Amino acid sequence: MEKKIRIIIGKTGIDGHWRGVQSVSTALKNAGVEVIYLGATTAQTISKAALEEDVDVIGLNIGASYEQVEKLMTIIKENKIDNILVVVGGTIPRTDIQLLKNMGVNGVFPPGSKLSDIVQFIKSNVERK
Amino acid sequence: MAKAPKDDIFTKKTFETLSGIPLKEIYGPEDVSNNSKIQQIEDAGQPPFLRGAYKGMYRVQPWRIFILTGAGDIEEARNRVAYSLEQGETGFLAECDMSTWLMYDVDHPDVVARKKDVGWYGAPVMSLKDYKNYWGNLPIGDVYCHTGGVLPQMTPFFISCFLALLDERKIPIEKVNSTGQGDFFISYLSMLHPSLIPPSAGLKLNCDAIEYTVRNAPSITPISMAGNNIRECGANSYQEMAAILSCAVDHIEHMLSRGNLTIDDFAYAIGGINLSTGSDFFEDICKIRAMRRMWYKLLSERYNAKSSKSLRLRVHAIPLGSIYTFQQPLNNIVRGTYTVLSAILGGSQSIGTPSFDEAICTPTKLAHTTALRTQQILMYESGVTNVVDPLGGSFFIEALTDEIEKKAWDYMKEIENNGGFIKSIESGWLHNEISNESLKNIKAINEGERKIVGVNCFEVEEEPYQFEPYKPNPRTWEIAMKALQELREKRNTKKVEKAKKNLFKVLKESENSMKATIEAVKSDVTIGEIGEIYRTVYGCWDAPKIIGL
């Protein structure tokens, strides 16, 4: 039997809006991905949980600054766990997409991204990693 | 090249509104026989207020241009509000940081862990000193103002700061015209945060403010239920209407159970609401018209209210930012224009507009100015202010107004069957209802069934223009922290402790907390300290589990 892809999802901010993250999570579950949802989290907490849960993917819902993304990517590099795919989504200006990719983020999904594209990206890139 | 949709909308066979109400090809006299007797339709300002809250409407009083503003540190936020007023905004709504919403001081570990996020959506306000620094230099008393305080747990703190500020500046309360917020929809529906106090405690605090302002500051509307916040989360129009009315019922019942005031004393304090306008132009016009009539019926039939002040619903309309697209963002100016127009045609007292960069960042100055000009062009150039309720009497408009009203009453019954508003958010029933609606809509857009220009049709490979997104002052946290430290060093600790103890006692004994909160803010007790007292007395909300998360 094929091993299910596991993703851990969290929000880097403290605001708690759930509509966007819920739609992505639902699409992933419908596509057979196992989703663990952390709610509001920090780089430190989600990276620790990612290791404990042995996930393939970390998904971050971001807004505001990229402080937590930067911290997460540093932790990933330091701990040599870059086999974990990192995808981020949220209100991200077009001009910042490259900036996030330069930090080492694998996939960036701004508003209006198709849910099927997010699912497809995760499925094909987890296989490759 | 921009791609046209494969399945042309002009070939579709069934027609319905966004909330699913079936639409006929053409409407006639037979469609309006029941509720709206067009031949005997009442004037605006007359019960049931279908055609408008006031006689003469925009001929007498143009709608208020009231746009959400303020991000960065306090100085930056205040300057943006001041700029907006200079440019012709006629009321101001100054936003605060998320840490303020959660009643955290900026040295709370959850905020310290995200220092660089502070200021992105609003300025952090932790004390009366911060409040005076932000609001104190704005023309309170000359223009309509929002007292601040988005969530119910923030209501007493912000109203207290506002009253303390008026006191200090010797502005008579009769001279000000203002509203608070205390919105349940953003607090407990569209957000789920484990540090919020439970909904029942939020209701108690909102009602404390209602009771206090009715007696001492009647020119303040202390709360404003915000339908836009449930809509942004995915609800449809009649769910929005029903949720507002059942939330109002819970407030009214709580106020009546206190036995201190009659319905006609306090109904006006709940009767100023926010309604959204979104991508169904006619449905949202009808929603605003129907909502006034429903309010009238609810207050007169269920609560036997008599005064027109109680029976008249005032509406601040908020065009939805969630219909704005990330792709080809200048197109959002058009979306803003038609949603402001539906707010006007529905007869709103006040209108906000999102900025065209809504899906990209906190509004830049250019986008903010354009949002303001959109309303000014409609107000000064288009002629829409000349005639009251210009669509009233249209077979279609009256039929759809009747139909959406019927749907909303039915849905309100469903909420009541689930225990009423507060119970239905405690159980998560309402969240899951709304999220089903949201997922259905996202699916329709993803699969191209609902067309969104630039997103699933007429897409472009290369965006035709780029602009610099808004970024707040990166030192916002440091500036707020310095102000907090200074406050803590300089304040009278004895007074602080006494005020905190008193507030704790008043809450424990379930008394009205407003006087104790006013004393606390005047003694420089911070929002984080008051929040801590709330969390000790009420505990934190055990938020419901939502499908998919």
Side-chain angles (χ1 to χ4, degrees), chain A residues 22-36:
Chain A
Q22 186 211 29
S23 59
V24 173
S25 162
T26 305
L28 288 167
K29 282 182 179 176
N30 290 344
V33 176
E34 268 185 62
V35 181
I36 303 155

Side-chain angles (χ1 to χ4, degrees), chain B residues 305-323:
Chain B
K306 298 274 184 253
S307 88
S308 57
K309 212 177 153 194
S310 307
L311 301 169
R312 171 191 290 130
L313 182 75
R314 294 103 63 208
V315 173
H316 168 57
I318 303 193
L320 292 174
S322 57
I323 69 164

Side-chain angles (χ1 to χ4, degrees), chain B residues 233-390:
Chain B
C233 197
N236 66 34
S237 279
Y238 64 77
Q239 287 175 324
E240 172 188 7
M241 299 164 81
I244 290 176
L245 291 172
S246 41
C247 184
V249 164
D250 280 3
H251 279 82
I252 293 170
E253 295 290 343
H254 184 103
M255 285 301 295
L256 291 173
S257 75
R258 291 187 178 197
N260 301 331
L261 295 168
T262 68
I263 187 77
D264 278 319
D265 292 330
F266 68 81
Y268 77 92
I270 305 171
I273 62 162
N274 300 6
L275 280 177
S276 68
T277 52
S279 33
D280 194 322
F281 184 70
F282 291 115
E283 184 170 69
D284 285 328
I285 293 171
C286 295
K287 174 179 72 186
I288 299 171
R289 300 176 82 245
M291 196 67 185
R292 280 190 296 268
R293 188 163 62 192
M294 292 179 81
W295 183 263
Y296 166 77
K297 287 181 187 168
L298 179 76
L299 270 289
S300 61
E301 290 167 16
R302 197 187 285 194
Y303 292 107
N304 207 19
K306 298 274 184 253
S307 88
S308 57
K309 212 177 153 194
S310 307
L311 301 169
R312 171 191 290 130
L313 182 75
R314 294 103 63 208
V315 173
H316 168 57
I318 303 193
L320 292 174
S322 57
I323 69 164
Y324 282 24
T325 63
F326 175 81
Q327 294 82 356
Q328 305 174 47
L330 286 191
N331 296 347
N332 294 328
I333 299 170
V334 182
R335 296 186 176 99
T337 307
Y338 84 74
T339 45
V340 169
L341 188 56
S342 52
I344 297 165
L345 296 174
S348 309
Q349 276 56 60
S350 162
I351 304 173
T353 341
S355 303
F356 66 73
D357 51 9
E358 178 75 19
I360 296 162
C361 56
T362 298
T364 55
K365 207 167 184 177
L366 172 68
H368 178 161
T369 311
T370 309
L372 181 57
R373 297 286 179 256
T374 303
Q375 292 204 34
Q376 290 162 331
I377 290 166
L378 286 164
M379 187 183 283
Y380 290 94
E381 294 181 20
S382 75
V384 290
T385 55
N386 290 336
V387 174
V388 176
D389 188 32

Side-chain angles (χ1 to χ4, degrees), chain A residues 14 67-68, chain B residues 97-100 102-118 124 126 477:
Chain A
I14 53 173
E67 191 182 12
Q68 299 302 318
Chain B
D97 186 60
M98 285 288 169
S99 56
T100 310
L102 296 178
M103 303 194 82
Y104 288 163
D105 290 338
V106 293
D107 59 349
H108 186 284
D110 282 3
V111 184
V112 174
R114 304 172 179 85
K115 282 181 195 173
K116 288 186 184 164
D117 282 2
V118 174
M126 293 172 282
W477 183 85

Side-chain angles (χ1 to χ4, degrees), chain B residues 42-114:
Chain B
E42 293 85 357
D43 193 356
Q46 290 297 314
F49 304 101
L50 172 71
R51 309 201 71 183
Y54 299 98
K55 185 167 170 56
M57 287 296 287
Y58 305 135
R59 285 194 179 200
V60 181
Q61 176 83 53
W63 71 84
R64 183 183 317 120
I65 306 178
F66 201 49
I67 299 173
L68 182 65
T69 332
D73 62 276
I74 287 178
E75 190 186 347
E76 186 184 354
R78 185 185 62 225
N79 287 344
R80 178 69 81 84
V81 177
Y83 163 80
S84 192
L85 289 168
E86 269 166 38
Q87 296 298 315
E89 196 189 18
T90 51
F92 73 84
L93 213 169
E95 188 55 283
C96 294
D97 186 60
M98 285 288 169
S99 56
T100 310
W101 290 32
L102 296 178
M103 303 194 82
Y104 288 163
D105 290 338
V106 293
D107 59 349
H108 186 284
D110 282 3
V111 184
V112 174
R114 304 172 179 85

